[in-house]
Amino acid sequence: MPQRMAVLTGDVIDSRKVDDRPRLYRLLDDSLAELAARHGGHGERFRGDGFQLTLPRAAMAMEAAVALRAALIEHSEPDQRWDARIAVAVGPAEGDIAEADGPTFVASGRALDALADTTTNLALTRLDAPEDPGLVLLVRFIDDMLDGWSAYSAEVVGLSLRYDASQQALAERLGIRQPSVHKRLRAARWALLSDTLAYLSQRLADVEAST
């Protein structure tokens, strides 16, 4: 069986209302480039606020989706929250990951279209397995968690995803006291989110291991 990959396709919610679109686009470009470099993938923005991130291995797909949304929420305008719909698809890797062609890309795009008619902003589709109600519920849980984040919560989670650092190290990086970092992590429900992402990573890695 072919190797599995992950395709994340998304768009910014209510981007037409964003006043500083150049800053939004720079943020998307920088975030996609950073995640692509970190995971050996390929990121691209298209049609202004649309974007796609392809990962050659699927295990880190949900963490990457959370990192993208965290970056947007963190850098929101004072009077407008920035966020995105993201559809993650896991399936066979065919050809060059930069070519954006094949069933996994199609599945991700269709899943994003389906999100437009719902109040949900995150979805996971696996082409190599039947729908798992447990995984669907966990993705809904993550989506609901992110919807409640402040910019401070998004910032501290984004740093926690980037660096394996202590709360004191995060405090020094942010220029605040360690108790403040603890408070922000607790508000972001980081302990639950971290465990949930680790479990999803393992489940997607198990899929890869079966190939």
Side-chain angles (χ1 to χ4, degrees):
M1 294 180 69
Q3 176 181 316
R4 264 50 183 169
M5 68 176 185
V7 178
L8 288 69
T9 308
D11 58 22
V12 177
I13 299 168
D14 290 332
S15 63
R16 294 178 183 178
K17 298 179 182 178
V18 175
D19 293 327
D20 193 349
R21 293 190 190 178
R23 187 171 80 87
L24 171 64
Y25 297 160
R26 287 195 300 273
L27 173 62
L28 278 174
D29 290 340
D30 291 346
S31 299
L32 290 167
E34 178 186 344
L35 287 166
R38 191 190 312 172
H39 299 297
H42 176 80
E44 184 176 0
R45 179 172 59 85
F46 52 87
R47 296 197 306 273
D49 69 333
F51 57 87
Q52 194 163 73
L53 176 66
T54 309
L55 306 179
R57 305 295 288 180
M60 305 308 292
M62 298 308 298
E63 179 178 311
V66 170
L68 273 171
R69 289 185 60 184
L72 286 165
I73 296 168
E74 175 189 346
H75 293 92
S76 297
E77 297 286 355
D79 59 346
Q80 184 191 40
R81 177 185 173 86
W82 290 2
D83 202 347
R85 287 177 287 263
I86 301 179
V88 180
V90 173
E94 297 184 355
D96 190 330
I97 62 173
E99 292 178 356
D101 187 29
T104 310
F105 290 94
V106 173
S108 182
R110 287 178 176 171
L112 179 64
D113 291 340
L115 286 179
D117 297 325
T118 72
T119 58
T120 302
N121 296 323
L122 186 63
L124 171 63
T125 300
R126 295 189 299 166
L127 277 66
D128 46 17
E131 184 174 88
D132 183 333
L135 291 187
V136 172
L137 187 61
L138 285 177
V139 173
R140 285 179 56 197
F141 168 69
I142 292 175
D143 187 33
D144 184 71
M145 189 183 299
L146 270 62
D147 282 344
W149 277 359
S150 67
Y152 291 131
S153 294
E155 180 183 36
V156 74
V157 169
L159 287 174
S160 297
L161 290 173
R162 268 189 224 105
Y163 307 107
D164 182 16
S166 66
Q167 290 188 17
Q168 183 59 43
L170 291 175
E172 293 172 1
R173 185 176 289 273
L174 291 169
I176 59 178
R177 297 173 62 245
Q178 181 273 329
S180 296
V181 170
H182 176 75
K183 183 177 180 180
R184 293 182 186 185
L185 288 171
R186 185 174 61 185
R189 304 176 75 185
W190 168 244
L192 279 172
L193 175 61
S194 179
D195 287 348
T196 303
L197 289 175
Y199 174 75
L200 289 171
S201 177
Q202 183 60 53
R203 286 294 302 272
L204 296 178
D206 287 343
V207 170
E208 293 173 0
S210 69
T211 62

